[in-house]
Amino acid sequence: MMHRLLLSPIVALCVSVPAMADQILVPDDFSSIQDAINAANSGDEVVIAPGTYEENITINKDITVRSQNPSDESVVANTVLGITEQREQPIVRITKGELAGLTIQGSKPTRTWSTVLVASGTARIRKNVIKDHSVAPFIYDGSVGIIAASGQVVIEGNRIEHNVCFCEVGGLSAVDQVIVNDNEFLDNANPDGYGAVYATDDAQILGNKLIENLGNSGGGIVSTGRVRVEWNHVGHNDSDSWCGGVMASGDTLVANNLIMHNYGETGAGGICAGGNARVINNTIVDNEARQTDGGGASLGSSAAFLNNIVAFNTTEFAPGGGIVGSGAVSDFNCVYGNVVGFGNPIPSDYGLDAQPGPHDINVDPLLQFDRLHLTYESPCVDAGTSDGIQPRAVDYDGQPRMAGITADIGADEIVPFLQPDYDQDGDVDINDFGFLQACMGGANVLIQPACVAMDLDGDLDVDQSDFGVFQRELGP
């Protein structure tokens, strides 16, 4: 039966309330997910018990279709929607409403259709796992491999992993005003086209992890149009030609991303920026161009390239382990430690007519162990420009940009030293040390908010280095 909250007759006479939503259970009320969807009205929930459901579904009304607990990984892993035989259509079509907390896995499309999930309109795709789909080479039809999204779709908190496609777009295609936020794209491969994510028009690619994906060009993110690419971790992606990490063109904004350990077979291991792309405040480190140039970045003549760390990147043969390309507006960058050659590397920060900007610095950025966060001693602190930074902008961690005199260089913004006068008596003395000592031993300030003020070096824990800062502030 459907489950509806009922009011007593007295309350019903006295209070005007909107109709309460039904909760329709699968398989208790309907054995088929689609039958439950067909029976649902706007605002209802279709709640699916753990099990494997071999069917295609279409969601075209304002309802929620979900597992019993989309936040429980075990529940999601055991609530499986998939087609084991070859199929002629997507597993899911959704134009409105929400799909949450399912595992969509293991299909074998026919030649006529390869896309697993097609979302449009105002659909929301949340906390699903989409994995283990494959499209053989002879099935190639030039379409999208896993998710085709258009309109005002929101794709949030999903994990897309272990999919293989010989398609134009291997993972996700985001068109129009699609928002792609806080997803993981892991170990997806498309040897014939773009890699994990393709975005165009006004799409936003925000706060995602794109790790170990493969594309023929653009292993991680490919963008064109007015796309916003921000706060992403793009790492260990591979391109069989150019642009292992990010390929940006049009009026794309690429800001506050960590672009690390990506590989371009032909060139440009970290990022390619063409058209009017703006590349601002990114940390581009440890990328590799195997055959030619641009281990860190390859810039077109109309691109803007500001406040970026380009460090410790490598190209195999041609000069330009760091930055290549001429004509771009490139300034206020930290370009250091980039090399050409693997066996006996030669320093090579710029190549192919690329020149240092007037305010570029060529010194060790002094990154923390994670290759993202700056140390307080970093020369990148207060060394950037405010040009191109939007009001209320934040860094990779969500901290305010321009926390100091001006913007820092790179994806991380250092918060100025905190004054450790914890008892607020006007000086820093032994009495204040008791407050610091209570949080010593590696307290993680994200887990223990009471210790935020004791994280004097801004590395998100409280340890011996914070004691060193305290000692410097200690009065007589």
Side-chain angles (χ1 to χ4, degrees):
M1 59 179 281
M2 301 181 191
H3 303 266
R4 185 185 298 274
L5 178 64
L6 298 177
L7 297 175
S8 72
I10 295 175
V11 174
L13 288 172
C14 297
V15 180
S16 176
V17 296
M20 300 302 292
D22 274 338
Q23 195 174 80
I24 305 172
L25 306 181
V26 179
D28 291 357
D29 297 328
F30 294 91
S31 61
S32 159
I33 298 172
Q34 188 62 56
D35 287 344
I37 292 169
N38 295 342
N41 296 312
S42 180
D44 289 350
E45 283 191 317
V46 173
V47 180
I48 306 167
T52 299
Y53 302 85
E54 292 204 17
E55 56 179 302
N56 307 93
I57 64 172
T58 298
I59 305 170
N60 54 8
K61 54 184 76 172
D62 278 321
I63 63 174
T64 297
V65 178
R66 65 171 178 86
S67 66
Q68 292 177 341
N69 186 354
S71 298
D72 187 318
E73 290 187 3
S74 177
V75 171
V76 174
N78 288 287
T79 310
V80 179
L81 176 62
I83 304 293
T84 57
E85 301 299 323
Q86 287 193 338
R87 56 185 171 82
E88 298 287 344
Q89 58 184 312
I91 295 178
V92 177
R93 285 185 185 272
I94 178 171
T95 58
K96 58 177 67 174
E98 180 173 301
L99 179 72
L102 303 183
T103 292
I104 306 171
Q105 76 174 40
S107 66
K108 297 178 181 178
T110 66
R111 188 180 187 87
T112 57
W113 201 287
S114 62
T115 309
V116 174
L117 188 154
V118 177
S120 60
T122 57
R124 301 179 304 279
I125 313 298
R126 298 180 56 250
K127 296 186 177 181
N128 302 282
V129 175
I130 305 174
K131 67 176 186 176
D132 298 338
H133 299 274
S134 62
V135 183
F138 60 85
I139 299 174
Y140 171 79
D141 62 4
S143 64
V144 178
I146 308 306
I147 303 175
S150 60
Q152 297 178 312
V153 170
V154 175
I155 299 173
E156 182 177 42
N158 303 279
R159 189 168 74 246
I160 296 95
E161 63 183 358
H162 310 315
N163 301 289
V164 179
C165 181
F166 288 75
C167 307
E168 184 177 346
V169 179
L172 163 69
S173 172
V175 180
D176 299 329
Q177 300 176 51
V178 172
I179 296 175
V180 182
N181 179 53
D182 194 29
N183 302 279
E184 295 182 335
F185 296 84
L186 310 174
D187 189 29
N188 302 286
N190 179 26
D192 271 4
Y194 300 139
V197 172
Y198 170 78
T200 189
D201 298 330
D202 294 293
Q204 300 184 62
I205 312 301
L206 310 174
N208 303 280
K209 291 183 179 180
L210 302 100
I211 309 295
E212 294 186 346
N213 301 286
L214 168 69
N216 178 262
S217 56
I221 299 172
V222 177
S223 63
T224 183
R226 298 171 298 276
V227 177
R228 179 181 169 202
V229 177
E230 193 160 9
W231 311 309
N232 301 283
H233 179 184
V234 185
H236 295 276
N237 301 287
D238 200 336
S239 170
D240 286 338
S241 56
W242 286 80
C243 312
V246 177
M247 177 190 291
S249 61
D251 294 313
T252 293
L253 170 66
V254 181
N256 301 301
N257 300 281
L258 174 61
I259 304 172
M260 179 172 70
H261 285 302
N262 300 285
Y263 309 93
E265 184 65 31
T266 304
I271 183 171
C272 302
N276 297 313
R278 293 162 294 148
V279 182
I280 302 173
N281 277 113
N282 300 278
T283 297
I284 305 168
V285 294
D286 299 320
N287 301 285
E288 180 182 311
R290 290 198 184 95
Q291 293 184 23
T292 54
D293 46 43
S298 176
L299 307 180
S301 60
S302 299
F305 194 77
L306 304 170
N307 292 2
N308 300 287
I309 294 174
V310 183
F312 314 117
N313 302 286
T314 303
T315 182
E316 186 170 3
F317 298 119
I323 300 174
V324 298
S326 62
V329 177
S330 178
D331 203 4
F332 293 94
N333 301 295
C334 176
V335 186
Y336 176 82
N338 304 285
V339 299
V340 56
F342 295 136
N344 297 294
I346 300 170
S348 179
D349 289 318
Y350 301 89
L352 286 183
D353 299 324
Q355 298 293 327
H359 303 93
D360 279 5
I361 58 176
N362 182 232
V363 290
D364 191 330
L366 298 180
L367 298 169
Q368 294 188 33
F369 181 77
D370 61 7
R371 307 293 254 186
L372 166 64
H373 294 95
L374 303 174
T375 60
Y376 272 103
E377 295 78 18
S378 171
C380 298
V381 175
D382 286 337
T385 177
S386 61
D387 290 352
I389 296 178
Q390 300 298 312
R392 298 181 297 278
V394 296
D395 73 353
Y396 182 94
D397 297 313
Q399 296 176 322
R401 183 58 76 180
M402 296 179 58
I405 299 170
T406 186
D408 297 346
I409 296 175
D412 178 40
E413 183 82 10
I414 281 282
V415 177
F417 278 121
L418 298 172
Q419 175 60 256
D421 178 18
Y422 299 124
D423 60 6
Q424 298 183 354
D425 64 351
D427 59 15
V428 179
D429 55 24
I430 195 65
N431 295 321
D432 298 297
F433 177 67
F435 293 88
L436 178 69
Q437 189 177 36
C439 290
M440 288 286 285
N444 186 321
V445 301
L446 298 178
I447 300 173
Q448 298 173 250
C451 292
V452 168
M454 290 70 181
D455 178 22
L456 298 174
D457 62 1
D459 66 351
L460 302 182
D461 59 20
V462 182
D463 54 18
Q464 194 66 30
S465 65
D466 298 292
F467 177 65
V469 176
F470 182 85
Q471 281 185 308
R472 292 199 295 271
E473 297 291 324
L474 191 61

